[in-house]
Amino acid sequence: VMSYEAGLGDHKFYGNTIIVNGTVGPYKEVPNGWVRFRILNGSNARFYDLQFDDKREFYVIATEGGFLNAPVPESNFQVWPGERYEILVDFSDSSTIFLTATDPENGRDQPFNIIELRPVENSEAIVSLPQTLNNIQSYNSQDVVNTRNFNLQMDGVTGGMMGINGVAMNMEMINERINIGELERWVIEAQGEHPFHMHGASFLIESLDGNTIPLYARGWKDVVKVNAQAVILIKFDHLANDDAPYMYHCHILEHEDMGMMGQFTVE
């Protein structure tokens, strides 16, 4: 769990100290072999572009909703607020290294250290890299019953400083009503960059700004990176009534607090 906040800009609060699992200046002893990490970006607003300081390759194996179909090799990848990933890293014959990050979206182009990893001599993780992890059955877009559009707005909304589709979060308002078990397409557009999160279901990404979806993002997700436009396919299988609705919102803490959030039922 990573947090890095202090300094206010663009309605977001940035820091100057990395905290990993509640620890400043963290380190972890690891065995000489494959090690599995679960990564959560717990920051208010900072986007982390993660890599190891020796540029070594690692493998992304899971997203928020479970395993990918197969390990995906990467040397760096972005984790936005609220996103979770799992990776496998081989520390065989390794010296001490750092997991580092940049945040170019928010003016941090120079790498800063996240955590120091210290391989322990004469220890070994008895693990091999799997070739197959899951068998995700993609949705058929022809089965989409309904399309919903969401516009994430930084200003010019009713009832608050920020909002979605012209209105800020209102505890007394149900913004969307969804039929249980129906496949829907959500088209999410934004002013600026926003990690969009919803409760109640995982989804598959259909497109990101019309570009090819990175292999490491082709699993079950509940947070999607929205730059200009993201399109997802989603189906809700659990009921939520007016007394206990689900929410969708930007996962930048200040943005959701300023109103970039909505409520929906599943009936």
Side-chain angles (χ1 to χ4, degrees):
V1 179
M2 302 175 299
S3 182
Y4 189 89
E5 320 303 342
L8 186 62
D10 192 25
H11 302 292
K12 296 180 285 188
F13 188 70
Y14 303 126
N16 54 18
T17 303
I18 282 284
I19 300 172
V20 178
N21 292 354
T23 303
V24 177
Y27 71 88
K28 178 67 176 176
E29 293 183 341
V30 294
N32 290 115
W34 289 100
V35 178
R36 179 178 173 181
F37 293 91
R38 293 185 174 97
I39 298 172
L40 158 65
N41 181 350
S43 289
N44 284 14
R46 197 173 288 282
F47 301 175
Y48 295 99
D49 193 334
L50 296 174
Q51 62 181 339
F52 290 94
D53 62 350
D54 64 356
K55 313 301 184 194
R56 71 175 52 204
E57 187 175 71
F58 55 87
Y59 290 83
V60 184
I61 61 170
T63 53
E64 294 94 35
F67 286 117
L68 298 170
N69 282 341
V72 176
E74 296 289 346
S75 59
N76 70 288
F77 75 123
Q78 288 193 357
V79 183
W80 289 19
E83 283 195 297
R84 289 94 70 202
Y85 290 95
E86 296 187 26
I87 65 173
L88 281 176
V89 188
D90 189 3
F91 292 102
S92 300
D93 302 318
S94 177
S95 57
T96 296
I97 65 171
F98 283 89
L99 177 64
T100 69
T102 59
D103 180 15
E105 283 77 13
N106 297 311
R108 289 296 299 254
D109 295 314
Q110 296 301 313
F112 47 89
N113 293 334
I114 301 293
I115 185 171
E116 181 182 2
L117 300 162
R118 304 174 180 176
V120 178
E121 293 184 6
N122 302 319
S123 68
E124 185 175 349
I126 307 174
V127 178
S128 59
L129 181 68
Q131 299 303 305
T132 302
L133 297 167
N134 205 347
N135 183 24
I136 297 172
Q137 300 297 312
S138 297
Y139 290 126
N140 185 340
S141 61
Q142 294 182 347
D143 294 334
V144 170
V145 174
N146 188 39
T147 296
R148 298 177 193 267
N149 295 280
F150 299 88
N151 185 7
L152 311 185
Q153 297 159 303
M154 302 280 284
D155 53 37
V157 303
T158 300
M161 295 179 64
M162 298 185 185
I164 300 176
N165 291 346
V167 296
M169 171 66 177
N170 183 343
M171 291 287 288
E172 305 303 318
M173 177 186 296
I174 300 298
N175 303 93
E176 304 287 338
R177 295 191 180 275
I178 295 170
N179 293 327
I180 193 168
E182 291 185 350
L183 182 63
E184 297 200 347
R185 176 180 287 111
W186 288 20
V187 180
I188 308 139
E189 298 181 327
Q191 302 169 350
E193 297 173 316
H194 302 270
F196 185 76
H197 170 59
M198 74 281 304
H199 299 194
S202 296
F203 56 78
L204 295 175
I205 301 173
E206 187 174 41
S207 69
L208 292 172
D209 298 331
N211 299 322
T212 301
I213 303 165
L215 291 176
Y216 69 78
R218 297 186 187 183
W220 292 109
K221 299 274 291 167
D222 60 43
V223 182
V224 63
K225 299 176 175 74
V226 181
N227 185 2
Q229 183 191 82
V231 182
I232 64 173
L233 297 176
I234 189 166
K235 181 171 65 173
F236 293 91
D237 294 323
H238 302 284
L239 294 170
N241 61 24
D242 287 47
D243 294 328
Y246 289 132
M247 295 178 291
Y248 52 80
H249 57 90
C250 175
H251 220 294
I252 294 172
L253 180 61
E254 291 75 20
H255 290 185
E256 59 180 297
D257 281 354
M258 292 178 185
M260 196 177 287
M261 180 185 293
Q263 299 187 113
F264 64 97
T265 60
V266 180
E267 302 167 332

